[in-house]
Amino acid sequence: MFTSSLRSWLAGLLLIGCAAPASFAQAPLDLATVLDQTLRHHPVLARIDAERRRIEPAVALAHQSPPLRVGLETENFGSDGRNRLESTLSLSGVLEWGGQPKARAGLALSENEALLLQLAQQRRNVLAEAAMRFIALAGAQETLAHSRRAQELVQQTHAVTLRRQQAGAASQADVERTELALAQAEMAVVNAEQALQTARLALRLAVGAPQIPVPSVVARLDVLPELPKATALLALAQTSPAVQLANARESIALNRLELARRQARPDFEWSLGIRDERERDDQSLVLGFTLPLGQASRSRPRRERARAGVDIAEQDREIAQLELQALLLDSWQALATWKREAETLDTRLIPQGESIVEALRNGYSRGRYSLLELSSAETELNTLRGQRLAARIRYHQSWIALERLLGRPLIPENRS
């Protein structure tokens, strides 16, 4: 199930060792708690349970044959007395040939299977949306922390510029430039705080409980799960929910064709009754049979339509497989790109940028470098940090989307 796949993913994504809180208001949330709350509160999941109960009786209804009928027929009713009243009490029914109840039950089973697959996909979509919003909130928290670190860098540069101005090594224009950069950094912090509040509300809506507060979330966005090989993902496409649904729809088409073939044979209608003749004070048994003519020719269009439905379902299954494989390949390529980008930024580019900024700040304080050189290096470092965070967020969210497509975990359950 999708829930277990996300919980297994926690091992690589979330901080371990923090017990799940009893409610949203007590402590920072991990992903397992968010998913549990979604299962409890989201109305779509409650509706899914109701839908399951609604489709369960479909097979029993399909097994039912046409009901027996009791009839009463009278003759000379309301006459002037010259004709005696005659009445017939009868029992009638329909004898279905060719196993039509069994064929209807087979069709109902295949339709139920398709509906259950659709409901399972709805459930995965709800949980995936909650997980996506969880990652977005974790990213918003990191963005705010990043904005505050950038503000601290500008504050340090501003302090150094003031000291240099006092020493006569920096102009008033340099001070004003750092003040402008500081105002921009403060604005970025305010924007990040607003984005954080919006992300919290979005998570509450995704959980289905907007009244429950969300203080913060705890996640390790820097831990990127190892990406499976592209060939392994393509192999998993054969058992994905989209392909399973296409197979179920093909089964529906085949069962409809089978039912149409069985309905080509006419149903045998019978009746058995007792006729009462008042004038002669006599009763007699009445037996009747009815067999419709031309049933095979009339059912031919239904059979031809059902055969065309089977052909369409077969093509749809092949199309679903090809489209899903193409989508998985694109997703794998995007994940590989974001993982490589995040790791390269983390291990090479950002450490280099930090070293450059540190060297320029030390040199700027001694008058060796200009304010423009230092400000450009700080801006570039902040850009690199933001690029790394964006790559991590995209990787985790795309990982969730990939598990939703496959309907299964990509990390073994026993991973720790």
Side-chain angles (χ1 to χ4, degrees):
M1 296 300 293
F2 186 66
T3 305
S4 64
S5 79
L6 286 175
R7 286 175 177 167
S8 68
W9 176 53
L10 291 175
L13 175 63
L14 304 178
L15 289 172
I16 305 301
C18 178
S23 68
F24 278 4
Q26 291 181 352
L29 307 179
D30 61 11
L31 184 54
T33 304
V34 168
L35 295 179
D36 288 339
Q37 293 289 345
T38 304
L39 290 171
R40 280 188 221 167
H41 295 289
H42 206 288
V44 170
L45 299 180
R47 182 181 181 276
I48 287 173
D49 293 336
E51 286 284 350
R52 285 198 183 100
R53 295 194 303 270
R54 186 171 69 91
I55 66 177
E56 286 175 359
V59 177
L61 291 173
H63 269 295
Q64 293 180 355
S65 298
L68 296 176
R69 298 187 298 273
V70 176
L72 178 63
E73 181 180 352
T74 62
E75 297 180 15
N76 301 326
F77 180 78
S79 63
D80 56 4
R82 290 175 295 182
N83 298 320
R84 296 297 183 182
L85 182 67
E86 296 181 2
S87 59
T88 304
L89 180 65
S90 63
L91 178 68
S92 61
V94 176
L95 181 60
E96 293 183 308
W97 297 99
Q100 291 186 43
K102 182 178 179 181
R104 286 196 302 268
L107 177 58
L109 279 172
S110 59
E111 290 175 342
N112 281 2
E113 181 184 359
L115 287 172
L116 289 173
L117 288 171
Q118 291 174 349
L119 294 177
Q121 186 61 32
Q122 290 180 21
R123 184 176 184 274
R124 279 189 292 270
N125 291 342
V126 169
L127 294 175
E129 179 65 17
M132 291 278 197
R133 296 297 182 179
F134 173 87
I135 296 299
L137 178 53
Q141 292 177 174
E142 289 288 339
T143 300
L144 178 57
H146 165 72
S147 299
R148 287 172 174 167
R149 286 196 298 270
Q151 183 183 20
E152 290 175 1
L153 283 178
V154 178
Q155 288 173 342
Q156 293 173 8
T157 302
H158 179 63
V160 172
T161 304
L162 287 176
R163 288 197 298 270
R164 291 193 63 195
Q165 184 194 35
Q166 293 172 356
S171 65
Q172 180 62 29
D174 288 341
V175 174
E176 292 177 355
R177 288 192 189 98
T178 58
E179 289 176 348
L180 177 61
L182 186 57
Q184 291 175 333
E186 291 172 351
M187 182 177 63
V189 170
V190 173
N191 292 338
E193 290 173 343
Q194 182 178 359
L196 179 61
Q197 295 301 322
T198 303
R200 284 175 179 162
L201 177 58
L203 177 59
R204 288 156 55 187
L205 293 175
V207 170
Q211 73 281 2
I212 299 179
V214 179
S216 61
V217 296
V218 53
R220 286 289 303 275
L221 296 180
D222 59 317
V223 177
L224 305 182
E226 189 64 30
L227 183 62
K229 294 183 179 179
T231 53
L233 287 182
L234 294 179
L236 293 176
Q238 301 301 320
T239 57
S240 66
V243 175
Q244 289 179 1
L245 182 58
N247 291 334
R249 287 173 175 165
E250 183 180 4
S251 178
I252 291 174
L254 290 171
N255 280 291
R256 283 177 179 165
L257 176 59
E258 181 64 20
L259 180 59
R261 286 171 177 168
R262 294 179 182 274
Q263 289 175 339
R265 299 185 62 180
D267 295 333
F268 186 76
E269 301 180 11
W270 58 269
S271 64
L272 178 65
I274 300 177
R275 176 174 295 171
D276 181 26
E277 300 184 28
R278 295 293 180 86
E279 182 178 3
R280 295 185 296 175
D281 193 21
D282 186 29
Q283 290 85 31
S284 58
L285 291 175
V286 179
L287 180 63
F289 301 97
T290 303
L291 190 65
L293 301 177
Q295 181 71 10
S297 60
R298 285 196 303 270
S299 65
R300 185 176 297 113
R302 185 184 296 110
R303 296 196 303 272
E304 292 175 352
R305 183 177 181 180
R307 287 194 190 96
V310 172
D311 294 338
I312 292 173
E314 290 176 351
Q315 297 300 321
D316 286 344
R317 174 174 50 80
E318 295 180 5
I319 291 171
Q321 291 177 346
L322 291 175
E323 288 181 346
L324 183 61
Q325 286 178 338
L327 184 58
L328 290 176
L329 192 59
D330 289 342
S331 299
W332 183 90
Q333 179 61 40
L335 282 168
T337 300
W338 289 326
K339 185 177 179 65
R340 182 169 56 251
E341 179 179 333
E343 291 177 346
T344 301
L345 286 164
D346 192 48
T347 59
R348 292 178 51 195
L349 301 184
I350 290 178
Q352 277 185 332
E354 291 172 342
S355 298
I356 292 172
V357 168
E358 184 65 22
L360 286 172
R361 180 174 290 109
N362 292 334
Y364 175 69
S365 63
R366 296 192 297 269
R368 296 178 54 188
Y369 300 108
S370 68
L371 175 63
L372 178 60
E373 291 175 303
L374 177 57
S375 299
S376 298
E378 289 177 344
T379 301
E380 186 174 344
L381 176 59
N382 291 331
T383 301
L384 292 175
R385 287 172 173 171
Q387 187 177 352
R388 178 182 62 183
L389 177 59
R392 288 172 175 175
I393 293 172
R394 289 173 181 171
Y395 187 88
H396 287 299
Q397 290 185 332
S398 297
W399 186 279
I400 295 170
L402 189 58
E403 287 196 340
R404 181 182 63 83
L405 284 175
L406 294 173
R408 60 188 301 163
L410 294 176
I411 297 178
E413 295 291 335
N414 59 357
R415 179 167 174 156
S416 58

